[in-house]
Amino acid sequence: MAATGVQGAHAVGTKPRVDAGEIQVFHVSKSYGAEQFAKEVVRECTFTIERHKLTVMIGPSGCGKSTLIRLLAGFERPSSGTITIDEKPVNGPGRDRLVLFQETALFPWMTTHENIMYGPKARGENTSEVREQAKFLLDKVGLTAFREKYPTQLSGGMQRRAELARAMINNPKVMILDEPFRGLDAMSKELMWEYYAGLYEESHRTNFFVTTDIDEAIFLADRLLIMTNIPTRVRAVIEVGIPRPRRLADIFENERANEVKIQALSLLHQEAMKSFSGGSKAAADFVEAYSRRMPDKEAQKIVAKRDDGMDA
């Protein structure tokens, strides 16, 4: 696939500064409900979102990843344990952490440029420097020609790019992304991987990306967190170790990428089968679907294990 606008665009305007942060999650648990009726969603979860790294979290559907995002963002508080950013406690939402959710959050009555400028204007920072930063980001995500268009006039991929630009102009210390490309078609999704990876490789802002797509995870991640079945905790940490910049072909042709995929899917299969044995067929189907992307022999092993578990 040809390189996209991030790598090839001629940037204009002023590049926003990057102030990267680091988040530490230490023995965090989260339950909902009172006492004997409480449902534990997160259990004794410990990990670090390292400064200037792109950390990707992947786990079975419904394992508690979205709950962790709400805890990191400060929308909810842990039942126990601590979350810090740059060694300061996370006690609520803040500008230092910005979340991009699965659903678009662009204001439909605002143009692309107005959406990108919303945060600075709301803070009374509508300066010439910030407007130059908006111009730079519009060019960087390939939307200069669409600056006066409204969200309904943009494709799904364009809307995602506009949201990335709107996030970056606010200079969060950590960007948190909750399956932001999930609703896109396959071609648009791969284009967004390239755009997003290119933006990260230029700035090395601290990013925390949550997905259920193994190929997306491996293409993007510096470090991969494999999560357990609910109640979720970190099952394994994998350093991806694929040089940047990356090509989409690396997902299938790179030896290290295939090693990571086999290791990750093996762990995910084990966790999905726990969920399946508890009555959730969706978790096993999740792993079976992605086993099709693996080398034939490894895929056959995983599907065979799944079938053995079903027979049992």
Side-chain angles (χ1 to χ4, degrees), residues 3-15:
T4 53
V6 171
Q7 290 83 8
H10 173 66
V12 295
T14 303
K15 183 177 181 178

Side-chain angles (χ1 to χ4, degrees), residues 29-220:
S29 297
K30 178 65 177 179
S31 299
Y32 295 95
E35 299 180 359
Q36 70 266 31
F37 301 106
K39 179 177 177 61
E40 191 177 30
V41 179
V42 179
R43 175 183 292 170
E44 285 290 311
C45 203
T46 297
F47 60 89
T48 300
I49 302 172
E50 291 190 2
R51 198 181 314 275
H52 298 298
K53 294 290 183 68
L54 204 169
T55 301
V56 176
M57 173 181 286
I58 187 168
S61 297
C63 74
K65 299 184 298 297
S66 293
T67 298
L68 272 170
I69 284 177
R70 292 193 294 272
L71 294 173
L72 293 173
F75 300 149
E76 298 182 15
R77 300 288 297 275
S79 301
S80 62
T82 60
I83 301 175
T84 62
I85 179 167
D86 295 338
E87 301 182 352
K88 297 178 181 178
V90 170
N91 294 317
R95 276 185 58 189
D96 51 4
R97 288 149 289 127
L98 195 150
V99 183
L100 268 68
F101 293 103
Q102 296 175 23
E103 302 79 14
T104 182
L106 296 174
F107 297 119
W109 60 88
M110 292 185 180
T111 65
T112 303
H113 180 258
E114 289 169 341
N115 265 289
I116 292 172
M117 285 291 296
Y118 174 77
K121 283 185 176 180
R123 296 191 299 272
E125 298 173 2
N126 187 14
T127 64
S128 59
E129 180 183 1
V130 172
R131 289 193 293 273
E132 285 295 305
Q133 291 175 2
K135 186 186 299 183
F136 174 91
L137 290 169
L138 273 167
D139 185 71
K140 189 57 60 178
V141 298
L143 292 177
T144 297
F146 298 88
R147 59 173 285 143
E148 299 304 326
K149 300 294 184 181
Y150 292 90
T152 56
Q153 297 172 295
L154 304 177
S155 68
M158 289 178 178
Q159 291 180 21
R160 299 277 84 178
R161 283 185 265 155
E163 288 181 302
L164 286 170
R166 187 172 72 170
M168 289 188 294
I169 201 170
N170 292 296
N171 191 34
K173 290 186 174 182
V174 179
M175 282 182 59
I176 303 169
L177 301 96
D178 182 10
E179 299 189 62
F181 311 141
R182 185 175 186 176
L184 302 179
D185 62 82
M187 183 175 292
S188 296
K189 183 181 290 188
E190 290 182 355
L191 286 170
M192 283 306 305
W193 295 353
E194 289 190 312
Y195 267 107
Y196 174 64
L199 291 169
Y200 167 74
E201 286 158 8
E202 287 196 3
S203 68
H204 285 274
R205 186 188 305 277
T206 305
N207 277 236
F208 183 67
F209 193 105
V210 174
T211 183
T212 56
D213 188 317
I214 190 66
D215 289 334
E216 181 174 70
I218 293 170
F219 180 75
L220 296 176

